[in-house]
Amino acid sequence: EAELAACRSAGEPADGQRAKAAAERHRQHIETWYYPCSHEMQVGLADMYVQDPRFRAHYDDVQAGLADYVQEAITANALDHIA
């Protein structure tokens, strides 16, 4: 989350390598500490981050517009991994 916010602040594109790497670390964190999280599942989570007002508020409280950026980075990363 903090790294994705840093990427956005630095003007890194959401589909750039740095943001996609941060999105992959986000997925791996969920998988390590919570539950299996495929790339497809992470995309579903990212959709929830922008559609559910509670999740959107959480990310956008960190940085305005971060929820959309996180969704874009996660989706871009997933496209690199899904055949």
Side-chain angles (χ1 to χ4, degrees), residues 27-65:
R27 188 192 69 77
Q28 290 171 352
H29 175 82
I30 292 169
E31 191 157 277
T32 298
W33 295 103
Y34 299 103
Y35 48 81
C37 185
S38 67
H39 290 96
E40 293 90 344
M41 178 181 270
Q42 187 188 28
V43 168
L45 291 172
D47 290 344
M48 182 178 62
Y49 296 162
V50 296
Q51 293 171 3
D52 185 306
R54 296 165 297 177
F55 283 98
R56 178 176 283 280
H58 167 77
Y59 281 96
D60 287 351
D61 283 349
V62 172
Q63 183 182 89

PDB file of all heavy atoms in Angstrom, residues 27-65:
ATOM      1  N   ARG A  27      -0.048  -8.997  -3.536  1.00  0.00           N
ATOM      2  CA  ARG A  27      -0.669 -10.317  -3.694  1.00  0.00           C
ATOM      3  C   ARG A  27       0.053 -11.350  -2.840  1.00  0.00           C
ATOM      4  O   ARG A  27      -0.569 -12.150  -2.138  1.00  0.00           O
ATOM      5  CB  ARG A  27      -0.661 -10.742  -5.166  1.00  0.00           C
ATOM      6  CG  ARG A  27      -1.461 -12.026  -5.439  1.00  0.00           C
ATOM      7  CD  ARG A  27      -1.186 -12.561  -6.830  1.00  0.00           C
ATOM      8  NE  ARG A  27       0.179 -13.064  -6.926  1.00  0.00           N
ATOM      9  CZ  ARG A  27       0.593 -14.233  -6.423  1.00  0.00           C
ATOM     10  NH1 ARG A  27      -0.230 -15.020  -5.773  1.00  0.00           N
ATOM     11  NH2 ARG A  27       1.848 -14.601  -6.564  1.00  0.00           N
ATOM     12  N   GLN A  28       1.355 -11.336  -2.876  1.00  0.00           N
ATOM     13  CA  GLN A  28       2.132 -12.306  -2.113  1.00  0.00           C
ATOM     14  C   GLN A  28       1.937 -12.107  -0.609  1.00  0.00           C
ATOM     15  O   GLN A  28       1.914 -13.082   0.140  1.00  0.00           O
ATOM     16  CB  GLN A  28       3.609 -12.205  -2.486  1.00  0.00           C
ATOM     17  CG  GLN A  28       3.880 -12.702  -3.881  1.00  0.00           C
ATOM     18  CD  GLN A  28       5.299 -12.415  -4.350  1.00  0.00           C
ATOM     19  OE1 GLN A  28       6.066 -11.708  -3.694  1.00  0.00           O
ATOM     20  NE2 GLN A  28       5.652 -12.956  -5.504  1.00  0.00           N
ATOM     21  N   HIS A  29       1.785 -10.875  -0.171  1.00  0.00           N
ATOM     22  CA  HIS A  29       1.525 -10.598   1.247  1.00  0.00           C
ATOM     23  C   HIS A  29       0.204 -11.242   1.674  1.00  0.00           C
ATOM     24  O   HIS A  29       0.134 -11.900   2.721  1.00  0.00           O
ATOM     25  CB  HIS A  29       1.488  -9.089   1.492  1.00  0.00           C
ATOM     26  CG  HIS A  29       1.122  -8.713   2.882  1.00  0.00           C
ATOM     27  ND1 HIS A  29       2.028  -8.704   3.916  1.00  0.00           N
ATOM     28  CD2 HIS A  29      -0.066  -8.357   3.427  1.00  0.00           C
ATOM     29  CE1 HIS A  29       1.421  -8.353   5.033  1.00  0.00           C
ATOM     30  NE2 HIS A  29       0.139  -8.133   4.765  1.00  0.00           N
ATOM     31  N   ILE A  30      -0.827 -11.063   0.877  1.00  0.00           N
ATOM     32  CA  ILE A  30      -2.120 -11.678   1.187  1.00  0.00           C
ATOM     33  C   ILE A  30      -1.970 -13.186   1.238  1.00  0.00           C
ATOM     34  O   ILE A  30      -2.458 -13.841   2.161  1.00  0.00           O
ATOM     35  CB  ILE A  30      -3.185 -11.267   0.148  1.00  0.00           C
ATOM     36  CG1 ILE A  30      -3.503  -9.777   0.266  1.00  0.00           C
ATOM     37  CG2 ILE A  30      -4.456 -12.108   0.301  1.00  0.00           C
ATOM     38  CD1 ILE A  30      -4.332  -9.227  -0.870  1.00  0.00           C
ATOM     39  N   GLU A  31      -1.270 -13.732   0.250  1.00  0.00           N
ATOM     40  CA  GLU A  31      -1.118 -15.181   0.174  1.00  0.00           C
ATOM     41  C   GLU A  31      -0.302 -15.729   1.342  1.00  0.00           C
ATOM     42  O   GLU A  31      -0.593 -16.795   1.875  1.00  0.00           O
ATOM     43  CB  GLU A  31      -0.480 -15.579  -1.158  1.00  0.00           C
ATOM     44  CG  GLU A  31      -0.539 -17.061  -1.406  1.00  0.00           C
ATOM     45  CD  GLU A  31      -0.453 -17.393  -2.865  1.00  0.00           C
ATOM     46  OE1 GLU A  31      -1.482 -17.334  -3.558  1.00  0.00           O
ATOM     47  OE2 GLU A  31       0.672 -17.725  -3.290  1.00  0.00           O
ATOM     48  N   THR A  32       0.709 -15.010   1.762  1.00  0.00           N
ATOM     49  CA  THR A  32       1.560 -15.460   2.863  1.00  0.00           C
ATOM     50  C   THR A  32       0.841 -15.395   4.200  1.00  0.00           C
ATOM     51  O   THR A  32       0.942 -16.319   5.009  1.00  0.00           O
ATOM     52  CB  THR A  32       2.840 -14.611   2.925  1.00  0.00           C
ATOM     53  OG1 THR A  32       3.568 -14.795   1.709  1.00  0.00           O
ATOM     54  CG2 THR A  32       3.707 -15.006   4.110  1.00  0.00           C
ATOM     55  N   TRP A  33       0.101 -14.317   4.449  1.00  0.00           N
ATOM     56  CA  TRP A  33      -0.438 -14.073   5.778  1.00  0.00           C
ATOM     57  C   TRP A  33      -1.923 -14.368   5.945  1.00  0.00           C
ATOM     58  O   TRP A  33      -2.389 -14.486   7.077  1.00  0.00           O
ATOM     59  CB  TRP A  33      -0.156 -12.641   6.198  1.00  0.00           C
ATOM     60  CG  TRP A  33       1.308 -12.414   6.353  1.00  0.00           C
ATOM     61  CD1 TRP A  33       2.132 -11.769   5.479  1.00  0.00           C
ATOM     62  CD2 TRP A  33       2.144 -12.885   7.406  1.00  0.00           C
ATOM     63  NE1 TRP A  33       3.424 -11.795   5.936  1.00  0.00           N
ATOM     64  CE2 TRP A  33       3.456 -12.483   7.119  1.00  0.00           C
ATOM     65  CE3 TRP A  33       1.909 -13.610   8.575  1.00  0.00           C
ATOM     66  CZ2 TRP A  33       4.533 -12.767   7.952  1.00  0.00           C
ATOM     67  CZ3 TRP A  33       2.989 -13.891   9.407  1.00  0.00           C
ATOM     68  CH2 TRP A  33       4.277 -13.465   9.089  1.00  0.00           C
ATOM     69  N   TYR A  34      -2.665 -14.478   4.845  1.00  0.00           N
ATOM     70  CA  TYR A  34      -4.111 -14.604   5.005  1.00  0.00           C
ATOM     71  C   TYR A  34      -4.715 -15.833   4.319  1.00  0.00           C
ATOM     72  O   TYR A  34      -5.291 -16.670   4.986  1.00  0.00           O
ATOM     73  CB  TYR A  34      -4.821 -13.326   4.533  1.00  0.00           C
ATOM     74  CG  TYR A  34      -4.388 -12.124   5.327  1.00  0.00           C
ATOM     75  CD1 TYR A  34      -3.494 -11.202   4.799  1.00  0.00           C
ATOM     76  CD2 TYR A  34      -4.847 -11.925   6.624  1.00  0.00           C
ATOM     77  CE1 TYR A  34      -3.080 -10.107   5.547  1.00  0.00           C
ATOM     78  CE2 TYR A  34      -4.431 -10.831   7.378  1.00  0.00           C
ATOM     79  CZ  TYR A  34      -3.540  -9.932   6.824  1.00  0.00           C
ATOM     80  OH  TYR A  34      -3.125  -8.859   7.562  1.00  0.00           O
ATOM     81  N   TYR A  35      -4.606 -15.918   3.010  1.00  0.00           N
ATOM     82  CA  TYR A  35      -5.269 -17.002   2.272  1.00  0.00           C
ATOM     83  C   TYR A  35      -4.681 -17.069   0.872  1.00  0.00           C
ATOM     84  O   TYR A  35      -4.058 -16.112   0.405  1.00  0.00           O
ATOM     85  CB  TYR A  35      -6.792 -16.775   2.204  1.00  0.00           C
ATOM     86  CG  TYR A  35      -7.198 -15.383   1.792  1.00  0.00           C
ATOM     87  CD1 TYR A  35      -7.216 -14.994   0.450  1.00  0.00           C
ATOM     88  CD2 TYR A  35      -7.559 -14.441   2.747  1.00  0.00           C
ATOM     89  CE1 TYR A  35      -7.584 -13.709   0.080  1.00  0.00           C
ATOM     90  CE2 TYR A  35      -7.930 -13.157   2.378  1.00  0.00           C
ATOM     91  CZ  TYR A  35      -7.941 -12.800   1.038  1.00  0.00           C
ATOM     92  OH  TYR A  35      -8.306 -11.532   0.683  1.00  0.00           O
ATOM     93  N   PRO A  36      -4.864 -18.213   0.197  1.00  0.00           N
ATOM     94  CA  PRO A  36      -4.394 -18.295  -1.188  1.00  0.00           C
ATOM     95  C   PRO A  36      -5.018 -17.165  -2.015  1.00  0.00           C
ATOM     96  O   PRO A  36      -6.211 -16.884  -1.907  1.00  0.00           O
ATOM     97  CB  PRO A  36      -4.888 -19.657  -1.662  1.00  0.00           C
ATOM     98  CG  PRO A  36      -5.059 -20.456  -0.404  1.00  0.00           C
ATOM     99  CD  PRO A  36      -5.500 -19.461   0.640  1.00  0.00           C
ATOM    100  N   CYS A  37      -4.195 -16.517  -2.802  1.00  0.00           N
ATOM    101  CA  CYS A  37      -4.666 -15.365  -3.575  1.00  0.00           C
ATOM    102  C   CYS A  37      -4.079 -15.423  -4.983  1.00  0.00           C
ATOM    103  O   CYS A  37      -2.956 -14.976  -5.223  1.00  0.00           O
ATOM    104  CB  CYS A  37      -4.266 -14.063  -2.872  1.00  0.00           C
ATOM    105  SG  CYS A  37      -4.917 -12.575  -3.674  1.00  0.00           S
ATOM    106  N   SER A  38      -4.842 -15.998  -5.898  1.00  0.00           N
ATOM    107  CA  SER A  38      -4.413 -16.040  -7.297  1.00  0.00           C
ATOM    108  C   SER A  38      -4.463 -14.630  -7.880  1.00  0.00           C
ATOM    109  O   SER A  38      -5.038 -13.710  -7.284  1.00  0.00           O
ATOM    110  CB  SER A  38      -5.335 -16.954  -8.097  1.00  0.00           C
ATOM    111  OG  SER A  38      -6.640 -16.379  -8.169  1.00  0.00           O
ATOM    112  N   HIS A  39      -3.885 -14.478  -9.046  1.00  0.00           N
ATOM    113  CA  HIS A  39      -3.957 -13.181  -9.706  1.00  0.00           C
ATOM    114  C   HIS A  39      -5.406 -12.815 -10.026  1.00  0.00           C
ATOM    115  O   HIS A  39      -5.801 -11.654  -9.900  1.00  0.00           O
ATOM    116  CB  HIS A  39      -3.088 -13.174 -10.963  1.00  0.00           C
ATOM    117  CG  HIS A  39      -1.641 -13.217 -10.647  1.00  0.00           C
ATOM    118  ND1 HIS A  39      -0.916 -14.374 -10.632  1.00  0.00           N
ATOM    119  CD2 HIS A  39      -0.780 -12.229 -10.284  1.00  0.00           C
ATOM    120  CE1 HIS A  39       0.329 -14.114 -10.287  1.00  0.00           C
ATOM    121  NE2 HIS A  39       0.437 -12.812 -10.074  1.00  0.00           N
ATOM    122  N   GLU A  40      -6.184 -13.814 -10.412  1.00  0.00           N
ATOM    123  CA  GLU A  40      -7.594 -13.562 -10.706  1.00  0.00           C
ATOM    124  C   GLU A  40      -8.327 -13.078  -9.450  1.00  0.00           C
ATOM    125  O   GLU A  40      -9.128 -12.147  -9.513  1.00  0.00           O
ATOM    126  CB  GLU A  40      -8.278 -14.820 -11.248  1.00  0.00           C
ATOM    127  CG  GLU A  40      -7.775 -15.256 -12.608  1.00  0.00           C
ATOM    128  CD  GLU A  40      -6.589 -16.219 -12.551  1.00  0.00           C
ATOM    129  OE1 GLU A  40      -5.915 -16.357 -11.493  1.00  0.00           O
ATOM    130  OE2 GLU A  40      -6.322 -16.840 -13.593  1.00  0.00           O
ATOM    131  N   MET A  41      -8.036 -13.708  -8.313  1.00  0.00           N
ATOM    132  CA  MET A  41      -8.677 -13.309  -7.065  1.00  0.00           C
ATOM    133  C   MET A  41      -8.251 -11.893  -6.686  1.00  0.00           C
ATOM    134  O   MET A  41      -9.072 -11.081  -6.237  1.00  0.00           O
ATOM    135  CB  MET A  41      -8.337 -14.277  -5.936  1.00  0.00           C
ATOM    136  CG  MET A  41      -8.951 -13.868  -4.600  1.00  0.00           C
ATOM    137  SD  MET A  41      -8.526 -15.005  -3.278  1.00  0.00           S
ATOM    138  CE  MET A  41      -9.895 -16.125  -3.437  1.00  0.00           C
ATOM    139  N   GLN A  42      -6.992 -11.570  -6.886  1.00  0.00           N
ATOM    140  CA  GLN A  42      -6.509 -10.238  -6.544  1.00  0.00           C
ATOM    141  C   GLN A  42      -7.205  -9.172  -7.397  1.00  0.00           C
ATOM    142  O   GLN A  42      -7.515  -8.095  -6.902  1.00  0.00           O
ATOM    143  CB  GLN A  42      -4.994 -10.151  -6.693  1.00  0.00           C
ATOM    144  CG  GLN A  42      -4.437  -8.837  -6.179  1.00  0.00           C
ATOM    145  CD  GLN A  42      -2.982  -8.650  -6.483  1.00  0.00           C
ATOM    146  OE1 GLN A  42      -2.453  -9.186  -7.463  1.00  0.00           O
ATOM    147  NE2 GLN A  42      -2.308  -7.873  -5.653  1.00  0.00           N
ATOM    148  N   VAL A  43      -7.468  -9.484  -8.663  1.00  0.00           N
ATOM    149  CA  VAL A  43      -8.203  -8.538  -9.514  1.00  0.00           C
ATOM    150  C   VAL A  43      -9.600  -8.311  -8.934  1.00  0.00           C
ATOM    151  O   VAL A  43     -10.095  -7.181  -8.892  1.00  0.00           O
ATOM    152  CB  VAL A  43      -8.264  -9.019 -10.977  1.00  0.00           C
ATOM    153  CG1 VAL A  43      -9.263  -8.200 -11.785  1.00  0.00           C
ATOM    154  CG2 VAL A  43      -6.881  -8.951 -11.612  1.00  0.00           C
ATOM    155  N   GLY A  44     -10.230  -9.383  -8.459  1.00  0.00           N
ATOM    156  CA  GLY A  44     -11.535  -9.237  -7.819  1.00  0.00           C
ATOM    157  C   GLY A  44     -11.456  -8.357  -6.580  1.00  0.00           C
ATOM    158  O   GLY A  44     -12.341  -7.525  -6.336  1.00  0.00           O
ATOM    159  N   LEU A  45     -10.396  -8.529  -5.798  1.00  0.00           N
ATOM    160  CA  LEU A  45     -10.202  -7.668  -4.627  1.00  0.00           C
ATOM    161  C   LEU A  45     -10.020  -6.219  -5.052  1.00  0.00           C
ATOM    162  O   LEU A  45     -10.595  -5.305  -4.452  1.00  0.00           O
ATOM    163  CB  LEU A  45      -8.983  -8.126  -3.820  1.00  0.00           C
ATOM    164  CG  LEU A  45      -9.103  -9.454  -3.085  1.00  0.00           C
ATOM    165  CD1 LEU A  45      -7.744  -9.856  -2.507  1.00  0.00           C
ATOM    166  CD2 LEU A  45     -10.155  -9.382  -2.001  1.00  0.00           C
ATOM    167  N   ALA A  46      -9.236  -6.008  -6.099  1.00  0.00           N
ATOM    168  CA  ALA A  46      -8.982  -4.652  -6.579  1.00  0.00           C
ATOM    169  C   ALA A  46     -10.263  -3.988  -7.056  1.00  0.00           C
ATOM    170  O   ALA A  46     -10.473  -2.789  -6.827  1.00  0.00           O
ATOM    171  CB  ALA A  46      -7.945  -4.673  -7.689  1.00  0.00           C
ATOM    172  N   ASP A  47     -11.128  -4.763  -7.691  1.00  0.00           N
ATOM    173  CA  ASP A  47     -12.421  -4.219  -8.107  1.00  0.00           C
ATOM    174  C   ASP A  47     -13.225  -3.791  -6.879  1.00  0.00           C
ATOM    175  O   ASP A  47     -13.876  -2.742  -6.888  1.00  0.00           O
ATOM    176  CB  ASP A  47     -13.202  -5.243  -8.926  1.00  0.00           C
ATOM    177  CG  ASP A  47     -12.595  -5.493 -10.292  1.00  0.00           C
ATOM    178  OD1 ASP A  47     -11.755  -4.682 -10.754  1.00  0.00           O
ATOM    179  OD2 ASP A  47     -12.950  -6.515 -10.914  1.00  0.00           O
ATOM    180  N   MET A  48     -13.156  -4.588  -5.836  1.00  0.00           N
ATOM    181  CA  MET A  48     -13.848  -4.255  -4.597  1.00  0.00           C
ATOM    182  C   MET A  48     -13.261  -2.976  -3.979  1.00  0.00           C
ATOM    183  O   MET A  48     -13.989  -2.165  -3.411  1.00  0.00           O
ATOM    184  CB  MET A  48     -13.752  -5.417  -3.610  1.00  0.00           C
ATOM    185  CG  MET A  48     -14.492  -5.191  -2.311  1.00  0.00           C
ATOM    186  SD  MET A  48     -14.395  -6.603  -1.193  1.00  0.00           S
ATOM    187  CE  MET A  48     -12.635  -6.699  -0.880  1.00  0.00           C
ATOM    188  N   TYR A  49     -11.953  -2.787  -4.113  1.00  0.00           N
ATOM    189  CA  TYR A  49     -11.315  -1.596  -3.551  1.00  0.00           C
ATOM    190  C   TYR A  49     -11.893  -0.309  -4.132  1.00  0.00           C
ATOM    191  O   TYR A  49     -11.909   0.713  -3.452  1.00  0.00           O
ATOM    192  CB  TYR A  49      -9.801  -1.610  -3.784  1.00  0.00           C
ATOM    193  CG  TYR A  49      -9.039  -2.719  -3.119  1.00  0.00           C
ATOM    194  CD1 TYR A  49      -7.767  -3.054  -3.546  1.00  0.00           C
ATOM    195  CD2 TYR A  49      -9.574  -3.462  -2.068  1.00  0.00           C
ATOM    196  CE1 TYR A  49      -7.039  -4.066  -2.946  1.00  0.00           C
ATOM    197  CE2 TYR A  49      -8.858  -4.485  -1.464  1.00  0.00           C
ATOM    198  CZ  TYR A  49      -7.586  -4.782  -1.913  1.00  0.00           C
ATOM    199  OH  TYR A  49      -6.870  -5.785  -1.333  1.00  0.00           O
ATOM    200  N   VAL A  50     -12.345  -0.346  -5.377  1.00  0.00           N
ATOM    201  CA  VAL A  50     -12.912   0.868  -5.968  1.00  0.00           C
ATOM    202  C   VAL A  50     -14.434   0.902  -5.883  1.00  0.00           C
ATOM    203  O   VAL A  50     -15.031   1.969  -5.886  1.00  0.00           O
ATOM    204  CB  VAL A  50     -12.452   1.078  -7.428  1.00  0.00           C
ATOM    205  CG1 VAL A  50     -10.955   1.292  -7.489  1.00  0.00           C
ATOM    206  CG2 VAL A  50     -12.881  -0.044  -8.329  1.00  0.00           C
ATOM    207  N   GLN A  51     -15.085  -0.256  -5.805  1.00  0.00           N
ATOM    208  CA  GLN A  51     -16.544  -0.296  -5.805  1.00  0.00           C
ATOM    209  C   GLN A  51     -17.157  -0.159  -4.412  1.00  0.00           C
ATOM    210  O   GLN A  51     -18.244   0.392  -4.274  1.00  0.00           O
ATOM    211  CB  GLN A  51     -17.035  -1.590  -6.461  1.00  0.00           C
ATOM    212  CG  GLN A  51     -16.717  -1.651  -7.936  1.00  0.00           C
ATOM    213  CD  GLN A  51     -16.987  -3.003  -8.553  1.00  0.00           C
ATOM    214  OE1 GLN A  51     -17.472  -3.920  -7.896  1.00  0.00           O
ATOM    215  NE2 GLN A  51     -16.650  -3.139  -9.822  1.00  0.00           N
ATOM    216  N   ASP A  52     -16.486  -0.671  -3.408  1.00  0.00           N
ATOM    217  CA  ASP A  52     -17.004  -0.606  -2.045  1.00  0.00           C
ATOM    218  C   ASP A  52     -16.519   0.703  -1.406  1.00  0.00           C
ATOM    219  O   ASP A  52     -15.308   0.928  -1.297  1.00  0.00           O
ATOM    220  CB  ASP A  52     -16.509  -1.806  -1.237  1.00  0.00           C
ATOM    221  CG  ASP A  52     -17.098  -1.882   0.157  1.00  0.00           C
ATOM    222  OD1 ASP A  52     -17.001  -0.879   0.907  1.00  0.00           O
ATOM    223  OD2 ASP A  52     -17.638  -2.942   0.500  1.00  0.00           O
ATOM    224  N   PRO A  53     -17.434   1.552  -0.993  1.00  0.00           N
ATOM    225  CA  PRO A  53     -17.032   2.851  -0.439  1.00  0.00           C
ATOM    226  C   PRO A  53     -16.084   2.751   0.756  1.00  0.00           C
ATOM    227  O   PRO A  53     -15.245   3.632   0.957  1.00  0.00           O
ATOM    228  CB  PRO A  53     -18.349   3.505  -0.022  1.00  0.00           C
ATOM    229  CG  PRO A  53     -19.428   2.760  -0.726  1.00  0.00           C
ATOM    230  CD  PRO A  53     -18.889   1.391  -1.027  1.00  0.00           C
ATOM    231  N   ARG A  54     -16.203   1.690   1.549  1.00  0.00           N
ATOM    232  CA  ARG A  54     -15.313   1.548   2.711  1.00  0.00           C
ATOM    233  C   ARG A  54     -13.873   1.302   2.275  1.00  0.00           C
ATOM    234  O   ARG A  54     -12.939   1.891   2.831  1.00  0.00           O
ATOM    235  CB  ARG A  54     -15.804   0.411   3.609  1.00  0.00           C
ATOM    236  CG  ARG A  54     -17.178   0.673   4.212  1.00  0.00           C
ATOM    237  CD  ARG A  54     -17.779  -0.573   4.784  1.00  0.00           C
ATOM    238  NE  ARG A  54     -17.985  -1.532   3.695  1.00  0.00           N
ATOM    239  CZ  ARG A  54     -18.451  -2.753   3.846  1.00  0.00           C
ATOM    240  NH1 ARG A  54     -18.743  -3.211   5.051  1.00  0.00           N
ATOM    241  NH2 ARG A  54     -18.628  -3.549   2.815  1.00  0.00           N
ATOM    242  N   PHE A  55     -13.686   0.424   1.290  1.00  0.00           N
ATOM    243  CA  PHE A  55     -12.327   0.164   0.800  1.00  0.00           C
ATOM    244  C   PHE A  55     -11.780   1.375   0.057  1.00  0.00           C
ATOM    245  O   PHE A  55     -10.614   1.736   0.204  1.00  0.00           O
ATOM    246  CB  PHE A  55     -12.300  -1.077  -0.098  1.00  0.00           C
ATOM    247  CG  PHE A  55     -12.354  -2.355   0.676  1.00  0.00           C
ATOM    248  CD1 PHE A  55     -13.550  -3.026   0.835  1.00  0.00           C
ATOM    249  CD2 PHE A  55     -11.218  -2.891   1.249  1.00  0.00           C
ATOM    250  CE1 PHE A  55     -13.611  -4.213   1.549  1.00  0.00           C
ATOM    251  CE2 PHE A  55     -11.265  -4.070   1.976  1.00  0.00           C
ATOM    252  CZ  PHE A  55     -12.461  -4.735   2.121  1.00  0.00           C
ATOM    253  N   ARG A  56     -12.630   2.002  -0.777  1.00  0.00           N
ATOM    254  CA  ARG A  56     -12.187   3.194  -1.503  1.00  0.00           C
ATOM    255  C   ARG A  56     -11.723   4.250  -0.502  1.00  0.00           C
ATOM    256  O   ARG A  56     -10.666   4.866  -0.685  1.00  0.00           O
ATOM    257  CB  ARG A  56     -13.288   3.745  -2.393  1.00  0.00           C
ATOM    258  CG  ARG A  56     -12.849   5.022  -3.132  1.00  0.00           C
ATOM    259  CD  ARG A  56     -13.882   5.539  -4.081  1.00  0.00           C
ATOM    260  NE  ARG A  56     -13.948   4.786  -5.307  1.00  0.00           N
ATOM    261  CZ  ARG A  56     -13.108   4.937  -6.332  1.00  0.00           C
ATOM    262  NH1 ARG A  56     -12.115   5.805  -6.261  1.00  0.00           N
ATOM    263  NH2 ARG A  56     -13.259   4.225  -7.417  1.00  0.00           N
ATOM    264  N   ALA A  57     -12.486   4.466   0.558  1.00  0.00           N
ATOM    265  CA  ALA A  57     -12.114   5.470   1.556  1.00  0.00           C
ATOM    266  C   ALA A  57     -10.779   5.119   2.208  1.00  0.00           C
ATOM    267  O   ALA A  57      -9.946   6.007   2.432  1.00  0.00           O
ATOM    268  CB  ALA A  57     -13.211   5.597   2.609  1.00  0.00           C
ATOM    269  N   HIS A  58     -10.583   3.846   2.499  1.00  0.00           N
ATOM    270  CA  HIS A  58      -9.317   3.434   3.114  1.00  0.00           C
ATOM    271  C   HIS A  58      -8.140   3.832   2.230  1.00  0.00           C
ATOM    272  O   HIS A  58      -7.189   4.477   2.695  1.00  0.00           O
ATOM    273  CB  HIS A  58      -9.300   1.926   3.366  1.00  0.00           C
ATOM    274  CG  HIS A  58      -7.939   1.414   3.710  1.00  0.00           C
ATOM    275  ND1 HIS A  58      -7.370   1.587   4.956  1.00  0.00           N
ATOM    276  CD2 HIS A  58      -7.006   0.783   2.960  1.00  0.00           C
ATOM    277  CE1 HIS A  58      -6.156   1.066   4.956  1.00  0.00           C
ATOM    278  NE2 HIS A  58      -5.915   0.576   3.761  1.00  0.00           N
ATOM    279  N   TYR A  59      -8.176   3.450   0.962  1.00  0.00           N
ATOM    280  CA  TYR A  59      -7.056   3.754   0.062  1.00  0.00           C
ATOM    281  C   TYR A  59      -6.956   5.247  -0.228  1.00  0.00           C
ATOM    282  O   TYR A  59      -5.856   5.809  -0.242  1.00  0.00           O
ATOM    283  CB  TYR A  59      -7.183   2.946  -1.237  1.00  0.00           C
ATOM    284  CG  TYR A  59      -6.727   1.525  -1.050  1.00  0.00           C
ATOM    285  CD1 TYR A  59      -7.635   0.514  -0.787  1.00  0.00           C
ATOM    286  CD2 TYR A  59      -5.387   1.189  -1.088  1.00  0.00           C
ATOM    287  CE1 TYR A  59      -7.218  -0.795  -0.588  1.00  0.00           C
ATOM    288  CE2 TYR A  59      -4.951  -0.122  -0.893  1.00  0.00           C
ATOM    289  CZ  TYR A  59      -5.875  -1.101  -0.642  1.00  0.00           C
ATOM    290  OH  TYR A  59      -5.446  -2.390  -0.435  1.00  0.00           O
ATOM    291  N   ASP A  60      -8.100   5.885  -0.463  1.00  0.00           N
ATOM    292  CA  ASP A  60      -8.065   7.306  -0.794  1.00  0.00           C
ATOM    293  C   ASP A  60      -7.718   8.174   0.410  1.00  0.00           C
ATOM    294  O   ASP A  60      -7.273   9.320   0.234  1.00  0.00           O
ATOM    295  CB  ASP A  60      -9.385   7.735  -1.430  1.00  0.00           C
ATOM    296  CG  ASP A  60      -9.535   7.202  -2.859  1.00  0.00           C
ATOM    297  OD1 ASP A  60      -8.547   6.654  -3.413  1.00  0.00           O
ATOM    298  OD2 ASP A  60     -10.635   7.316  -3.418  1.00  0.00           O
ATOM    299  N   ASP A  61      -7.887   7.663   1.621  1.00  0.00           N
ATOM    300  CA  ASP A  61      -7.417   8.383   2.804  1.00  0.00           C
ATOM    301  C   ASP A  61      -5.894   8.364   2.884  1.00  0.00           C
ATOM    302  O   ASP A  61      -5.283   9.289   3.424  1.00  0.00           O
ATOM    303  CB  ASP A  61      -8.009   7.799   4.084  1.00  0.00           C
ATOM    304  CG  ASP A  61      -9.453   8.210   4.312  1.00  0.00           C
ATOM    305  OD1 ASP A  61      -9.947   9.110   3.594  1.00  0.00           O
ATOM    306  OD2 ASP A  61     -10.096   7.615   5.202  1.00  0.00           O
ATOM    307  N   VAL A  62      -5.285   7.309   2.355  1.00  0.00           N
ATOM    308  CA  VAL A  62      -3.821   7.249   2.302  1.00  0.00           C
ATOM    309  C   VAL A  62      -3.320   8.294   1.307  1.00  0.00           C
ATOM    310  O   VAL A  62      -2.369   9.029   1.574  1.00  0.00           O
ATOM    311  CB  VAL A  62      -3.337   5.836   1.899  1.00  0.00           C
ATOM    312  CG1 VAL A  62      -1.830   5.809   1.652  1.00  0.00           C
ATOM    313  CG2 VAL A  62      -3.717   4.819   2.974  1.00  0.00           C
ATOM    314  N   GLN A  63      -3.988   8.346   0.152  1.00  0.00           N
ATOM    315  CA  GLN A  63      -3.621   9.306  -0.896  1.00  0.00           C
ATOM    316  C   GLN A  63      -4.808   9.434  -1.840  1.00  0.00           C
ATOM    317  O   GLN A  63      -5.326   8.409  -2.311  1.00  0.00           O
ATOM    318  CB  GLN A  63      -2.387   8.807  -1.646  1.00  0.00           C
ATOM    319  CG  GLN A  63      -1.867   9.742  -2.704  1.00  0.00           C
ATOM    320  CD  GLN A  63      -0.683   9.137  -3.421  1.00  0.00           C
ATOM    321  OE1 GLN A  63      -0.857   8.445  -4.398  1.00  0.00           O
ATOM    322  NE2 GLN A  63       0.508   9.377  -2.891  1.00  0.00           N
ATOM    323  N   ALA A  64      -5.220  10.629  -2.122  1.00  0.00           N
ATOM    324  CA  ALA A  64      -6.362  10.837  -3.022  1.00  0.00           C
ATOM    325  C   ALA A  64      -6.107  10.143  -4.365  1.00  0.00           C
ATOM    326  O   ALA A  64      -5.045  10.315  -4.966  1.00  0.00           O
ATOM    327  CB  ALA A  64      -6.600  12.325  -3.236  1.00  0.00           C
ATOM    328  N   GLY A  65      -7.069   9.336  -4.788  1.00  0.00           N
ATOM    329  CA  GLY A  65      -6.955   8.634  -6.062  1.00  0.00           C
ATOM    330  C   GLY A  65      -6.222   7.302  -5.994  1.00  0.00           C
ATOM    331  O   GLY A  65      -6.079   6.619  -7.011  1.00  0.00           O
TER     332      GLY A  65
END
